[in-house]
């Protein structure tokens, strides 16, 4: 792969993003199919469970300020269990989409032939190690968040390259976390900038979509806090939920590869600067 940046020297944020977008654009079909496979359960979630979520949400609204009867409680927890079960499966696949994109990028970086099946197979084969490592990082964040939000944020940034280390260096668990801390040390702010700008942009877009699709509904609920709202306002809730979920998840499917590629380039850049390691492995 030909790059327009020198990974042996610090790479400016704008050049890093520009190179990431260029790689994504030049290999769009390959990368979008890879991430789409792992995003599919999340995209299908509202289509399959639209009725269940609709019932769950309406039951929760009707229970405001009113002691629910036994049948309502049963319906509520039945809906919750179904949503939680499939939701967890969808979230695991969503998490694996990151390693899958990193694997696709690294194959391209090493001038390997595009092979969607190989990328998916490799990611699924390593899925246990990837998910457990991700769970450890998430637990670290929650422990830090319990003391104060800032320590949790700092821990997450220092662990930002865990996925890249999982795939590129085949390291997992606490070894990959320690490795990420070592790579990030001395480059905390430049590492923070990549996900910060990305998530600010994505959060703004998803917020606009939420207001456009759900804004009037939430406004009507907010006007009567703690009271059972007029259920007629939920008439089109299922359709709204499906539209919002599909649009947002579709948006994430298209934009998340840029973040994963940018972090992969940043990791290779920092590794080269700090260790002089060959970026091809």
């Amino acid at each position: 792969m030909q790059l327009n940046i020198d990974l042996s020297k610090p790479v400016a944020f704008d050049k890093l993003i520009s190179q990431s977008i260029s790689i994504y654009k030049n290999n769009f079909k390959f990368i979008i199919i890879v991430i789409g496979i792992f995003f599919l359960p999340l995209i299908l979630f509202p289509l399959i469970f639209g009725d269940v979520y609709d019932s769950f949400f309406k039951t929760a609204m009707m229970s405001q300020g009113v002691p629910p009867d036994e049948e309502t409680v049963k319906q509520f927890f039945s809906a919750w269990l179904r949503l939680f079960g499939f939701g967890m499966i969808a979230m695991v696949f969503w998490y694996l989409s990151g390693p899958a994109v990193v694997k696709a990028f690294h194959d391209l970086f090493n001038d390997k032939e595009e092979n969607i099946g190989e990328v998916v197979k490799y990611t699924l084969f390593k899925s246990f190690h990837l998910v457990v490592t991700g769970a450890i990082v998430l637990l670290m964040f929650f422990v830090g968040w319990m003391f104060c939000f800032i320590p949790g944020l700092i821990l997450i940034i220092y662990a930002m390259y865990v996925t890249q280390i999982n795939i590129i260096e085949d390291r997992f668990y606490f070894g990959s976390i320690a490795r990420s801390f070592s790579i990030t040390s001395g480059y905390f702010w430049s590492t923070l900038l990549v996900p910060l700008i990305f998530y600010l942009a994505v959060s703004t877009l998803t917020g606009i979509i939420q207001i456009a699709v759900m804004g009037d509904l939430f406004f009507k609920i907010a006007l009567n806090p703690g009271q059972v709202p007029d259920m007629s306002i939920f008439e089109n809730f299922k359709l709204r939920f499906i539209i919002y979920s599909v649009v947002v998840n579709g948006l994430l499917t298209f934009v998340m590869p840029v973040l994963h590629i940018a972090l992969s380039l940043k990791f290779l850049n920092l590794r080269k600067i700090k260790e002089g390691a060959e970026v091809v492995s």
Side-chain angles (χ1 to χ4, degrees):
M1 175 185 290
Q2 293 294 323
L3 298 179
N4 298 320
I5 54 177
D6 184 358
L7 292 178
S8 65
K9 301 177 182 179
V11 179
F13 174 79
D14 59 331
K15 293 183 178 180
L16 183 74
I17 297 301
S18 177
Q19 181 68 79
S20 301
I21 293 173
S22 176
I23 292 171
Y24 184 28
K25 182 177 67 175
N26 293 336
N27 302 277
F28 178 78
K29 183 178 178 181
F30 175 49
I31 295 173
I32 201 66
I33 291 176
V34 166
I35 194 171
I37 290 171
F38 288 92
F39 254 83
L40 188 60
L42 202 60
I43 295 173
L44 291 177
F45 180 79
L47 301 176
I48 297 174
F49 289 93
D51 288 326
V52 178
Y53 191 83
D54 183 59
S55 173
F56 175 81
F57 187 80
K58 289 178 180 177
T59 301
M61 289 296 101
M62 290 177 64
S63 300
Q64 291 192 53
V66 180
D69 56 39
E70 185 178 347
E71 185 61 29
T72 300
V73 172
K74 288 181 179 179
Q75 291 177 359
F76 182 85
F77 278 104
S78 174
W80 183 84
L81 286 172
R82 281 181 285 172
L83 289 171
F84 179 79
F86 189 84
M88 287 299 294
I89 295 173
M91 290 305 294
V92 166
F93 273 86
W94 171 82
Y95 178 76
L96 292 175
S97 68
V101 172
V102 175
K103 170 62 176 171
F105 159 79
H106 197 232
D107 285 354
L108 292 169
F109 190 87
N110 289 335
D111 294 320
K112 293 183 179 179
E113 183 180 353
E114 294 182 5
N115 190 324
I116 295 170
E118 180 62 29
V119 171
V120 173
K121 184 172 70 173
Y122 178 88
T123 305
L124 292 176
F125 179 73
K126 298 286 186 177
S127 60
F128 177 81
H129 306 294
L130 291 165
V131 171
V132 172
T133 304
I136 294 172
V137 173
L138 187 61
L139 181 61
M140 288 170 49
F141 169 75
F142 281 125
V143 170
W145 180 81
M146 287 172 60
F147 293 97
C148 181
F149 177 74
I150 300 301
L153 177 61
I154 292 173
L155 288 172
I156 283 294
I157 298 304
Y158 271 101
M160 189 58 62
Y161 301 116
V162 164
T163 297
Q164 281 67 34
I165 294 163
N166 291 163
I167 299 300
I168 296 173
E169 298 188 348
D170 199 28
R171 301 188 189 187
F172 301 93
Y173 311 121
F174 291 102
S176 63
I177 296 171
R179 173 71 166 152
S180 182
F181 273 54
S182 174
I183 290 292
T184 308
S185 179
Y187 293 89
F188 176 86
W189 295 108
S190 62
T191 295
L192 170 64
L193 189 62
V194 176
L196 178 63
I197 299 300
F198 179 85
Y199 281 116
L200 281 175
V202 171
S203 297
T204 300
L205 287 174
T206 55
I208 292 171
I209 295 169
Q210 185 177 46
I211 291 172
V213 178
M214 299 280 202
D216 63 320
L217 177 62
F218 292 144
F219 179 72
K220 291 175 182 177
I221 294 173
L223 288 177
N224 301 287
Q227 300 180 24
V228 178
D230 181 0
M231 297 309 293
S232 64
I233 67 176
F234 300 106
E235 183 177 354
N236 297 317
F237 178 77
K238 175 186 173 182
L239 179 60
R240 291 170 183 246
F241 170 66
I242 290 175
I243 292 174
Y244 171 74
S245 299
V246 170
V247 171
V248 168
N249 290 329
L251 171 67
L252 292 175
T253 302
F254 278 94
V255 301
M256 286 300 292
V258 177
L259 175 63
H260 297 306
I261 294 171
L263 287 173
S264 298
L265 286 172
K266 187 69 177 178
F267 166 73
L268 294 173
N269 178 215
L270 295 182
R271 188 175 75 168
K272 183 72 172 177
I273 291 172
K274 300 186 80 168
E275 302 173 356
E278 289 296 326
V279 294
V280 177
S281 60

